[in-house]
mmCIF file of all heavy atoms in Angstrom:
data_model
loop_
_atom_site.group_PDB
_atom_site.id
_atom_site.type_symbol
_atom_site.label_atom_id
_atom_site.label_comp_id
_atom_site.label_asym_id
_atom_site.label_seq_id
_atom_site.Cartn_x
_atom_site.Cartn_y
_atom_site.Cartn_z
ATOM 1 N N VAL Y 160 27.156 -53.574 0.999
ATOM 2 C CA VAL Y 160 27.176 -52.252 0.391
ATOM 3 C C VAL Y 160 28.621 -51.888 0.074
ATOM 4 O O VAL Y 160 29.500 -52.016 0.931
ATOM 5 C CB VAL Y 160 26.559 -51.193 1.325
ATOM 6 C CG1 VAL Y 160 26.655 -49.807 0.692
ATOM 7 C CG2 VAL Y 160 25.108 -51.534 1.617
ATOM 8 N N ALA Y 161 28.881 -51.444 -1.142
ATOM 9 C CA ALA Y 161 30.238 -51.099 -1.559
ATOM 10 C C ALA Y 161 30.297 -49.657 -2.050
ATOM 11 O O ALA Y 161 29.295 -49.108 -2.523
ATOM 12 C CB ALA Y 161 30.713 -52.037 -2.664
ATOM 13 N N LEU Y 162 31.462 -49.051 -1.914
ATOM 14 C CA LEU Y 162 31.721 -47.725 -2.462
ATOM 15 C C LEU Y 162 32.609 -47.874 -3.689
ATOM 16 O O LEU Y 162 33.695 -48.460 -3.607
ATOM 17 C CB LEU Y 162 32.419 -46.838 -1.428
ATOM 18 C CG LEU Y 162 31.600 -46.408 -0.217
ATOM 19 C CD1 LEU Y 162 32.476 -45.621 0.752
ATOM 20 C CD2 LEU Y 162 30.393 -45.580 -0.628
ATOM 21 N N PHE Y 163 32.154 -47.353 -4.824
ATOM 22 C CA PHE Y 163 32.949 -47.388 -6.036
ATOM 23 C C PHE Y 163 33.762 -46.101 -6.103
ATOM 24 O O PHE Y 163 33.214 -45.000 -6.105
ATOM 25 C CB PHE Y 163 32.045 -47.503 -7.272
ATOM 26 C CG PHE Y 163 32.807 -47.462 -8.572
ATOM 27 C CD1 PHE Y 163 33.545 -48.552 -8.989
ATOM 28 C CD2 PHE Y 163 32.780 -46.324 -9.368
ATOM 29 C CE1 PHE Y 163 34.253 -48.513 -10.186
ATOM 30 C CE2 PHE Y 163 33.477 -46.278 -10.560
ATOM 31 C CZ PHE Y 163 34.219 -47.371 -10.978
ATOM 32 N N TRP Y 164 35.082 -46.250 -6.154
ATOM 33 C CA TRP Y 164 35.982 -45.097 -6.131
ATOM 34 C C TRP Y 164 36.873 -45.161 -7.358
ATOM 35 O O TRP Y 164 37.621 -46.117 -7.550
ATOM 36 C CB TRP Y 164 36.815 -45.127 -4.843
ATOM 37 C CG TRP Y 164 37.792 -44.018 -4.694
ATOM 38 C CD1 TRP Y 164 37.598 -42.704 -5.001
ATOM 39 C CD2 TRP Y 164 39.126 -44.112 -4.175
ATOM 40 N NE1 TRP Y 164 38.719 -41.974 -4.708
ATOM 41 C CE2 TRP Y 164 39.677 -42.810 -4.204
ATOM 42 C CE3 TRP Y 164 39.895 -45.170 -3.700
ATOM 43 C CZ2 TRP Y 164 40.969 -42.534 -3.768
ATOM 44 C CZ3 TRP Y 164 41.180 -44.905 -3.266
ATOM 45 C CH2 TRP Y 164 41.704 -43.602 -3.296
ATOM 46 N N ASN Y 165 36.803 -44.142 -8.210
ATOM 47 C CA ASN Y 165 37.567 -44.111 -9.453
ATOM 48 C C ASN Y 165 38.257 -42.759 -9.568
ATOM 49 O O ASN Y 165 37.808 -41.882 -10.296
ATOM 50 C CB ASN Y 165 36.650 -44.363 -10.642
ATOM 51 C CG ASN Y 165 37.408 -44.472 -11.951
ATOM 52 O OD1 ASN Y 165 38.589 -44.805 -11.960
ATOM 53 N ND2 ASN Y 165 36.743 -44.180 -13.059
ATOM 54 N N PRO Y 166 39.374 -42.542 -8.851
ATOM 55 C CA PRO Y 166 39.963 -41.198 -8.756
ATOM 56 C C PRO Y 166 40.611 -40.696 -10.040
ATOM 57 O O PRO Y 166 40.399 -39.557 -10.430
ATOM 58 C CB PRO Y 166 41.002 -41.359 -7.646
ATOM 59 C CG PRO Y 166 41.341 -42.798 -7.631
ATOM 60 C CD PRO Y 166 40.091 -43.519 -8.015
ATOM 61 N N GLU Y 167 41.424 -41.504 -10.709
ATOM 62 C CA GLU Y 167 42.112 -41.087 -11.927
ATOM 63 C C GLU Y 167 42.752 -39.711 -11.751
ATOM 64 O O GLU Y 167 42.224 -38.697 -12.188
ATOM 65 C CB GLU Y 167 41.165 -41.093 -13.125
ATOM 66 C CG GLU Y 167 40.663 -42.482 -13.474
ATOM 67 C CD GLU Y 167 39.995 -42.553 -14.841
ATOM 68 O OE1 GLU Y 167 40.039 -41.544 -15.575
ATOM 69 O OE2 GLU Y 167 39.429 -43.610 -15.160
ATOM 70 N N LEU Y 168 43.924 -39.661 -11.144
ATOM 71 C CA LEU Y 168 44.639 -38.404 -10.927
ATOM 72 C C LEU Y 168 45.254 -37.939 -12.243
ATOM 73 O O LEU Y 168 46.413 -38.214 -12.551
ATOM 74 C CB LEU Y 168 45.731 -38.580 -9.866
ATOM 75 C CG LEU Y 168 45.237 -38.894 -8.454
ATOM 76 C CD1 LEU Y 168 46.403 -39.059 -7.507
ATOM 77 C CD2 LEU Y 168 44.310 -37.804 -7.954
ATOM 78 N N GLY Y 169 44.451 -37.246 -13.042
ATOM 79 C CA GLY Y 169 44.902 -36.886 -14.378
ATOM 80 C C GLY Y 169 44.938 -38.131 -15.238
ATOM 81 O O GLY Y 169 43.930 -38.793 -15.455
ATOM 82 N N CYS Y 170 46.130 -38.479 -15.738
ATOM 83 C CA CYS Y 170 46.299 -39.730 -16.480
ATOM 84 C C CYS Y 170 46.356 -40.886 -15.492
ATOM 85 O O CYS Y 170 47.202 -40.913 -14.596
ATOM 86 C CB CYS Y 170 47.583 -39.679 -17.306
ATOM 87 S SG CYS Y 170 47.971 -41.240 -18.116
ATOM 88 N N ASN Y 171 45.486 -41.850 -15.659
ATOM 89 C CA ASN Y 171 45.463 -42.963 -14.701
ATOM 90 C C ASN Y 171 46.472 -44.059 -15.030
ATOM 91 O O ASN Y 171 46.604 -45.031 -14.300
ATOM 92 C CB ASN Y 171 44.052 -43.559 -14.623
ATOM 93 C CG ASN Y 171 43.609 -44.171 -15.941
ATOM 94 O OD1 ASN Y 171 44.216 -43.939 -16.976
ATOM 95 N ND2 ASN Y 171 42.523 -44.926 -15.899
ATOM 96 N N TRP Y 172 47.211 -43.909 -16.125
ATOM 97 C CA TRP Y 172 48.171 -44.936 -16.494
ATOM 98 C C TRP Y 172 49.425 -44.905 -15.625
ATOM 99 O O TRP Y 172 50.202 -45.852 -15.630
ATOM 100 C CB TRP Y 172 48.552 -44.795 -17.971
ATOM 101 C CG TRP Y 172 47.473 -45.310 -18.889
ATOM 102 C CD1 TRP Y 172 46.134 -45.176 -18.720
ATOM 103 C CD2 TRP Y 172 47.667 -46.025 -20.105
ATOM 104 N NE1 TRP Y 172 45.448 -45.742 -19.755
ATOM 105 C CE2 TRP Y 172 46.371 -46.282 -20.632
ATOM 106 C CE3 TRP Y 172 48.776 -46.458 -20.806
ATOM 107 C CZ2 TRP Y 172 46.178 -46.966 -21.823
ATOM 108 C CZ3 TRP Y 172 48.583 -47.135 -22.006
ATOM 109 C CH2 TRP Y 172 47.303 -47.394 -22.502
ATOM 110 N N ASP Y 173 49.668 -43.786 -14.948
ATOM 111 C CA ASP Y 173 50.848 -43.730 -14.082
ATOM 112 C C ASP Y 173 50.448 -43.499 -12.622
ATOM 113 O O ASP Y 173 51.191 -42.929 -11.839
ATOM 114 C CB ASP Y 173 51.842 -42.661 -14.544
ATOM 115 C CG ASP Y 173 51.254 -41.253 -14.521
ATOM 116 O OD1 ASP Y 173 50.030 -41.123 -14.333
ATOM 117 O OD2 ASP Y 173 52.029 -40.293 -14.690
ATOM 118 N N ASP Y 174 49.266 -43.955 -12.272
ATOM 119 C CA ASP Y 174 48.810 -43.887 -10.880
ATOM 120 C C ASP Y 174 49.170 -45.188 -10.156
ATOM 121 O O ASP Y 174 49.114 -46.276 -10.749
ATOM 122 C CB ASP Y 174 47.293 -43.690 -10.798
ATOM 123 C CG ASP Y 174 46.873 -42.309 -11.252
ATOM 124 O OD1 ASP Y 174 47.754 -41.439 -11.400
ATOM 125 O OD2 ASP Y 174 45.663 -42.108 -11.466
ATOM 126 N N CYS Y 175 49.527 -45.074 -8.906
ATOM 127 C CA CYS Y 175 49.770 -46.238 -8.061
ATOM 128 C C CYS Y 175 48.735 -46.255 -6.945
ATOM 129 O O CYS Y 175 48.283 -45.190 -6.499
ATOM 130 C CB CYS Y 175 51.178 -46.191 -7.455
ATOM 131 S SG CYS Y 175 52.505 -46.343 -8.675
ATOM 132 N N VAL Y 176 48.362 -47.433 -6.501
ATOM 133 C CA VAL Y 176 47.332 -47.556 -5.472
ATOM 134 C C VAL Y 176 47.859 -48.391 -4.311
ATOM 135 O O VAL Y 176 48.811 -49.164 -4.453
ATOM 136 C CB VAL Y 176 46.047 -48.205 -6.026
ATOM 137 C CG1 VAL Y 176 45.446 -47.349 -7.122
ATOM 138 C CG2 VAL Y 176 46.324 -49.621 -6.530
ATOM 139 N N GLY Y 177 47.256 -48.197 -3.167
ATOM 140 C CA GLY Y 177 47.634 -48.963 -1.989
ATOM 141 C C GLY Y 177 46.564 -48.872 -0.927
ATOM 142 O O GLY Y 177 45.533 -48.214 -1.113
#
Side-chain angles (χ1 to χ4, degrees):
V160 177
L162 291 176
F163 177 74
W164 179 41
N165 185 24
E167 295 194 7
L168 295 179
C170 174
N171 64 346
W172 284 38
D173 61 350
D174 290 347
C175 294
V176 298

